[in-house]
Amino acid sequence: MLRPFSLPGVPIYEIPDRTGTFAVVTGANSGTGKEAARRLAEAGARVVLAVRTPAKGEQARAEILARHPHARLEVRRVDLADLASVEAFAEAIVADGTPLDLLVNNAGVMSPPTRMTTADGFELQIGSNFLGPFALTVRLLPALLAASAPRVATMSSGSANFGRIAFDDLQWERRRYHPFLSYGQSKLADLIMSVHLARVAAERGWKLLSTAAHPGYTRTNLQTAGASLGRETPYRPNPALRALNALLPSQAVEPGTEPLLYAATGPDAVAGGYYGPGGRFGLVGASAPARITRRAQDAAVNARLWAEAERLTGVALPAPAAGTAGTGQRSGS
């Protein structure tokens, strides 16, 4: 349902009642993650703010509660750049025994100026933007498939249109590292993950709905805090990039979160659907279906990337069993 937004002519998506549902939102301490968590909680959901820094998560929780005193929120730590952290987080969610209605894969980092690595030795952007969310999604499948109508909504980016999956060098070890191209690869991988998960769900008869979204050009701290990854010296884009960004249409975080919220809860959202701003250049405006680049529509390539993610993370879908729904597990366990 759409109702008038604060800016004339720009509608805002009104989330359906989520009372009695359980959601996990990654990167919920700021930006689109915090806004998504706030509005899901406002609609009645119990929401886990899944964050790398618990103190920042607690601050976000306090800010949301100040606005919505009856919001049901809890903060749990997960570092998507550390597969052991992902495993511990997912195991705790599954062990709780509560069906998980919604997983919002929102967290990410953007274009650190130099090649950095995760705790597991992956290049930072492919590791924390794709491999971490991949492992989290697969590990949470037991809780998701226990829900009556589960969803996984994954945040991609318009940069996915410029991405290339370099199977011979996913980690940027042979090529000269390029921050933006690395980011584009990681966000294309996210889009591929969403599309392929929708295919797997259909093949296995799961009720799981896998969708994706992009925020257009939304003003958040992603380019600075994300790129710095909590280090003492903040990342500052070069002057030319700042000048270019100043010329592009942009929007605040509230409308920028709309596509993700629609992908997560929209009654008309479809399996494998992709949503983004429908206004100028696809950077601003009301949510609308977004075009999926052809590079995310090749079933063979998508299956290959999924298999590579299983190999790298050690987290895989089990072989499908006749008459049963599979769940995620660690390879060899």
Side-chain angles (χ1 to χ4, degrees):
M1 180 183 299
L2 296 175
R3 56 184 171 82
F5 185 57
S6 57
L7 296 177
V10 180
I12 188 170
Y13 171 63
E14 186 171 347
I15 299 175
D17 180 43
R18 303 297 295 172
T19 301
T21 64
F22 180 39
V24 168
V25 180
T26 66
N29 61 286
S30 65
T32 54
K34 178 182 172 184
E35 178 67 9
R38 180 187 72 79
R39 288 172 59 182
L40 287 167
E42 180 182 14
R46 172 192 163 205
V47 182
V48 170
L49 282 64
V51 299
R52 185 172 55 87
T53 307
K56 293 181 179 179
E58 292 293 349
Q59 181 179 349
R61 178 178 180 272
E63 291 171 359
I64 296 172
L65 286 173
R67 188 168 175 177
H68 305 290
H70 301 294
R72 300 178 64 200
L73 304 164
E74 62 178 295
V75 176
R76 297 196 188 191
R77 183 181 185 277
V78 64
D79 184 352
L80 294 170
D82 183 346
L83 292 178
S85 175
V86 171
E87 180 177 12
F89 175 90
E91 286 184 347
I93 293 289
V94 173
D96 285 348
T98 303
L100 179 59
D101 300 280
L102 173 63
L103 169 62
V104 179
N105 287 317
N106 165 80
V109 296
M110 182 177 183
S111 303
T114 59
R115 184 183 183 278
M116 300 163 62
T117 56
T118 69
D120 303 283
F122 304 129
E123 186 273 319
L124 180 62
Q125 295 193 91
I126 198 70
S128 58
N129 291 356
F130 169 58
L131 294 174
F134 170 88
L136 179 65
T137 300
V138 176
R139 286 193 177 280
L140 286 176
L141 279 174
L144 285 161
L145 296 178
S148 59
R151 292 196 188 195
V152 176
T154 299
M155 185 70 96
S156 183
S157 165
S159 300
N161 292 331
F162 306 101
R164 302 285 192 282
I165 303 299
F167 285 104
D168 61 341
D169 191 21
L170 281 177
Q171 312 296 335
W172 293 85
E173 295 171 311
R174 302 172 186 173
R175 297 168 291 166
R176 180 179 179 182
Y177 172 76
H178 190 291
F180 182 75
L181 295 181
S182 172
Y183 181 69
Q185 176 182 247
S186 72
K187 302 315 284 185
L188 174 59
D190 283 336
L191 185 53
I192 287 173
M193 176 179 74
S194 178
V195 170
H196 189 73
L197 181 58
R199 182 185 182 95
V200 170
E203 291 174 346
R204 301 196 178 195
W206 297 344
K207 296 179 180 179
L208 177 72
L209 189 71
S210 175
T211 58
H214 75 85
Y217 187 6
T218 295
R219 298 186 296 273
T220 71
N221 67 345
L222 178 63
Q223 287 181 304
T224 53
S228 300
L229 200 64
R231 284 160 173 74
E232 294 296 327
T233 303
Y235 167 59
R236 295 181 176 84
N238 65 56
L241 181 58
R242 290 201 302 270
L244 174 62
N245 288 343
L247 295 175
L248 295 173
S250 64
Q251 60 190 3
V253 70
E254 291 83 359
T257 310
E258 300 278 277
L260 182 61
L261 286 169
Y262 189 82
T265 67
D268 298 321
V270 299
Y274 187 38
Y275 303 93
R280 294 176 61 195
F281 311 123
L283 297 177
V284 296
S287 299
R291 182 184 66 85
I292 298 178
T293 175
R294 287 183 298 175
R295 299 187 189 98
Q297 297 185 53
D298 186 318
V301 170
N302 295 359
R304 182 183 178 188
L305 181 63
W306 185 281
E308 182 65 4
E310 289 185 336
R311 184 186 73 80
L312 291 169
T313 64
V315 182
L317 296 171
T324 62
T327 55
Q329 64 181 20
R330 189 168 188 85
S331 297
S333 63

